[in-house]
């Protein structure tokens, strides 16, 4: 259910809505755009952990904002910095991809919870497709991280060299075998789970991938957190646009209670 326009505006006005200047625009591959934004004090005031998202207004005519995960962010002077990486899916992301350095975006954030990580912990990060960018933020927060990055093919690969700079091991899997190992992320994930002891598996990507990785982590007795993706309207818990069912029969809002959930909480058949 989508709230009426007034309710959406009222709720949004309670949140921090910031005009953010695009200071850098790059294309990490032919399908994706990376924007680095000056976000005022957004990181200082609302950072809770890697895996949070921002809700971006994509053109005057579109009331509903688009949720995009934070890739990395930092406190800075005079303005905090934040980068997002996205693929063009429809009119909203096409509008966003056409913005230029120096233009400003209307951004609501930081929203949602983040992954829970300990600075001394050892983590296995698993990202699929456009689920890879938020895992990069995670790589800075654990004591030691290994990463498995899954893509459709080599032309969709993202941030692989960035992960290689900071992770102990990086394994790449593509569906067609054009880069790294042919197949899904679960093969390399099982190999690493057999070899190493982890404090957690952290995962972001398509739901079938989240479900498969959650089952694998459970088999190896490692706690698993997943980032769920649902269509969103308000982004702040005021509608039921993003409700998902939990294993205990309750419903939760991905935007407000998530997007990060313990894998054991999620109703994977719902
Ligand atoms: C928490 C969260 C984090 C995300 N992070 C990223 C990211 O880092 N990079 C990235 O490329 N994409 C990300 N997405 C998906 C991104 O929000 C959609 O691709 C985008 O909203 C599509 O908008 P559009 O106007 O281009 O497409 P359209 O299909 O025209 O959108 C129409 C409507 O559907 C909604 N919608 C469509 N697809 C999705 C989707 N997959 N998830 C949620 N809402 C959707 C839009 O918000 C809009 O309201 C994220 C989604 C969520 C929920
Ligand atoms: S999008 Fe409205 S409650 Fe989550």
């Amino acid at each position: 259910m989508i709230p009426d326009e007034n309710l959406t505006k009222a709720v949004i006005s309670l949140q921090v809505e910031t005009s953010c200047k695009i200071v850098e625009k790059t294309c990490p591959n032919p399908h994706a755009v990376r924007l680095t934004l000056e976000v005022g004090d957004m990181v200082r005031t609302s950072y809770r952990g890697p895996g949070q998202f921002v809700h971006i207004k994509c053109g005057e005519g579109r009331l509903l904002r688009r949720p995009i995960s934070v890739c990395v962010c930092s406190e800075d002077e005079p303005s905090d910095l934040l980068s997002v990486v996205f693929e063009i899916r429809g009119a909203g992301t096409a509008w966003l991809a056409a913005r230029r350095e120096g233009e400003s975006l209307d951004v609501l954030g930081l929203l949602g919870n983040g992954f829970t990580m300990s600075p001394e912990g050892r983590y296995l990060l698993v990202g699929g497709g456009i689920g890879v960018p938020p895992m990069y933020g995670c790589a800075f927060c654990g004591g030691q991280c290994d990463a498995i990055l899954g893509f459709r093919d080599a032309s969709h690969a993202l941030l692989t060299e960035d992960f290689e700079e900071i992770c102990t091991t990086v394994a790449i899997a593509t569906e067609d075998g054009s880069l790294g190992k042919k197949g899904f992320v679960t093969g390399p994930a099982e190999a690493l789970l057999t070899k190493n002891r982890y404090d957690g598996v952290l995962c972001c990507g398509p739901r079938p991938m989240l479900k498969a990785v959650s089952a694998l982590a459970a088999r190896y007795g490692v706690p698993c957190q997943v980032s769920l993706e649902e269509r969103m309207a308000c982004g702040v818990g005021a509608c039921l646009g993003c409700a998902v069912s939990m294993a205990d029969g309750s419903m939760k809002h991905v935007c407000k209670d998530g997007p990060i959930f313990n894998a054991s909480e999620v109703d994977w058949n719902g």
Side-chain angles (χ1 to χ4, degrees):
M1 187 178 70
I2 294 176
D4 68 40
E5 184 169 346
N6 290 338
L7 175 58
T8 307
K9 281 182 178 159
V11 170
I12 285 172
S13 70
L14 297 173
Q15 299 289 315
V16 184
E17 213 178 15
T18 310
S19 173
C20 300
K21 186 169 158 192
I22 301 169
V23 289
E24 191 178 25
K25 177 183 179 182
T26 55
C27 296
N29 69 38
H31 315 279
V33 174
R34 178 177 185 156
L35 298 179
T36 302
L37 309 172
E38 284 181 346
V39 294
D41 63 357
M42 196 183 283
V43 180
R44 277 167 280 176
T45 53
S46 54
Y47 179 77
R48 294 171 66 188
Q52 286 182 274
F53 65 99
V54 286
H55 221 190
I56 305 178
K57 192 166 171 66
C58 292
E60 279 311 312
R62 275 174 216 101
L63 173 68
L64 297 181
R65 291 161 180 268
R66 301 312 192 241
I68 305 287
S69 301
V70 175
C71 175
V72 279
C73 62
S74 58
E75 294 182 11
D76 219 321
E77 289 291 344
S79 177
D80 299 338
L81 292 170
L82 176 154
S83 73
V84 291
V85 180
F86 61 93
E87 283 184 1
I88 299 174
R89 288 286 154 79
T93 43
W95 181 91
L96 200 54
R99 296 310 99 208
R100 296 189 180 164
E101 286 175 12
E103 291 183 35
S104 290
L105 298 173
D106 180 337
V107 180
L108 192 61
L110 301 171
L111 301 179
N113 59 4
F115 287 102
T116 304
M117 297 179 77
S118 144
E120 293 83 38
R122 184 169 190 185
Y123 296 95
L124 180 60
L125 314 179
V126 186
I130 211 61
V132 165
M135 305 320 296
Y136 185 54
C138 294
F140 290 99
C141 297
Q144 195 182 342
C145 290
D146 295 325
I148 301 169
L149 313 177
F151 304 103
R152 202 178 312 165
D153 55 40
S155 82
H156 285 83
L158 280 171
L159 307 173
T160 54
E161 288 172 6
D162 302 80
F163 277 92
E164 278 159 3
E165 273 174 23
I166 53 172
C167 292
T168 311
T169 305
V170 178
I172 298 168
T174 49
E175 288 173 34
D176 67 352
S178 53
L179 185 70
K181 211 171 157 45
K182 185 171 194 287
F184 295 112
V185 292
T186 37
E190 179 141 32
L192 286 174
L193 283 162
T194 309
K195 210 167 104 193
N196 303 319
R197 289 178 72 86
Y198 293 102
D199 296 297
V201 174
L202 314 181
C203 191
C204 184
R207 193 172 167 104
M209 183 192 107
L210 301 183
K211 184 178 177 180
V213 171
S214 301
L216 195 57
R219 239 181 26 244
Y220 283 83
V222 183
C224 180
Q225 299 170 55
V226 294
S227 177
L228 295 185
E229 192 179 297
E230 277 299 325
R231 286 181 173 248
M232 288 184 184
C234 70
V236 293
C239 68
L240 292 176
C242 66
V244 284
S245 50
M246 297 283 116
D248 65 1
S250 65
M251 299 295 285
K252 289 208 168 158
H253 293 124
V254 171
C255 68
K256 192 159 151 275
D257 306 313
I260 315 303
F261 294 90
N262 290 322
S264 56
E265 281 181 88
V266 177
D267 174 9
W268 291 108
N269 301 314

